[in-house]
Amino acid sequence: MRISKEIKIALVGIVGLVTLFFGLNYLKGLNLFSIDSKYYLAFKDISGLSASSPIYADGYKVGVVKDIKYDYQNANDILVEIGVDPKLRIPKGSSAEIVSDLLGNVQVNLLLANNPRERVEAGQIIQGMINGGAMSQLKDMIPTIEKILPKLDSIMSSLNTLLANPAIAQSLHNVQNITANLTTTTAEANRLMAQLNNQVPGMMSKANGVLDNTSALTEGLNQKLAEVDVATTMAKIDQTLANVNAITEQMNSREGSLGLLMRDPALYNNLNATMRDADSLLLNLRAHPKRYVHFSIFGKKDK
């Protein structure tokens, strides 16, 4: 039986369409031959979510979005039908969030709850929410940025005015001169340190010589001190002190001429009276010298 040309063309066309259908679904992430567990996610806003968007749990892709159902008659939640791996166990109390990146790619993250006893059965609804991510944070920062922009403009104007001041250029020139002077000073300091390092050995040698001389002088002094008869010298000093004590005791006692002279009140009174008589005699001699001395050229005249 011969197949006509038209039938062949029709078969090729059907095979091509089937291949295209499965190929497009495969590129979308949909596997028509897999048996996925279906769940529904309820959102107030799907933020651009579409069919074939990936579903992630703990950063691992576990399924895709199958269909989106919107109720045009009532403003109820938008139901998103998802198909996930049947091996995935979704604990009861889990939720979902829609995340958009800076490039506009949208995905759904399943936030699995810590509930090992209960699970969400296939076909049940999981509540979802929107996570704006970096774009949401940037959107929240826009009012603050708008308030900062006038201040930044004022700061830039002040900075331009400051940079246009000729004193800035002069200051920079002075800084350059100071840097050059510091470089010269550093070079001189390095040269001085090099000279000092060259002189250090000689200085150390002289210091060692002084220390040697000091050590020799100390040894000589110690030797001379060792040669001194300390015992004899101390004995002489003790003898001298004993003599001084003896003299002091004789002066303090009533025996002897010196002790009597120092302690006899009668002798003191007699000496005092004698001094008074001598003083009276001298005064009378000054007042009447002729009574005591007689001079005559012709001899002594009888009275």
Side-chain angles (χ1 to χ4, degrees), residues 212-234:
D212 294 338
N213 294 333
T214 304
S215 299
L217 181 61
T218 304
E219 291 178 357
L221 182 60
N222 291 333
Q223 184 177 1
K224 290 181 178 179
L225 289 175
E227 293 175 354
V228 174
D229 190 355
V230 178
T232 304
T233 302
M234 293 302 296

Side-chain angles (χ1 to χ4, degrees), residues 24-37:
L24 291 176
N25 284 289
Y26 178 77
L27 293 176
K28 291 180 180 180
L30 300 176
N31 189 357
L32 299 178
F33 299 102
S34 64
I35 302 174
D36 295 334
S37 297

Side-chain angles (χ1 to χ4, degrees), residues 94-153:
S94 300
S95 60
E97 64 177 6
I98 297 176
V99 180
S100 301
D101 58 16
L102 295 176
L103 299 178
N105 299 320
V106 182
Q107 69 181 38
V108 177
N109 292 333
L110 291 177
L111 307 177
L112 302 179
N114 186 13
N115 187 0
R117 295 183 180 182
E118 298 178 312
R119 60 176 296 179
V120 178
E121 300 295 337
Q124 292 184 346
I125 298 176
I126 301 173
Q127 292 297 323
M129 57 184 177
I130 299 295
N131 185 354
M135 294 298 295
S136 178
Q137 295 178 2
L138 183 61
K139 184 178 179 181
D140 295 336
M141 292 174 60
I142 289 177
T144 304
I145 294 174
E146 290 178 350
K147 294 179 181 179
I148 294 175
L149 285 177
K151 296 181 180 179
L152 289 177
D153 185 55

Side-chain angles (χ1 to χ4, degrees), residues 177-218:
N177 293 335
I178 292 171
T179 304
N181 293 334
L182 287 176
T183 303
T184 304
T185 303
T186 304
E188 292 293 332
N190 292 333
R191 184 177 60 81
L192 181 61
M193 290 300 296
Q195 294 179 357
L196 184 61
N197 290 333
N198 293 331
Q199 295 177 0
V200 164
M203 295 171 63
M204 293 300 296
S205 178
K206 292 180 180 180
N208 292 330
V210 172
L211 290 176
D212 294 338
N213 294 333
T214 304
S215 299
L217 181 61
T218 304

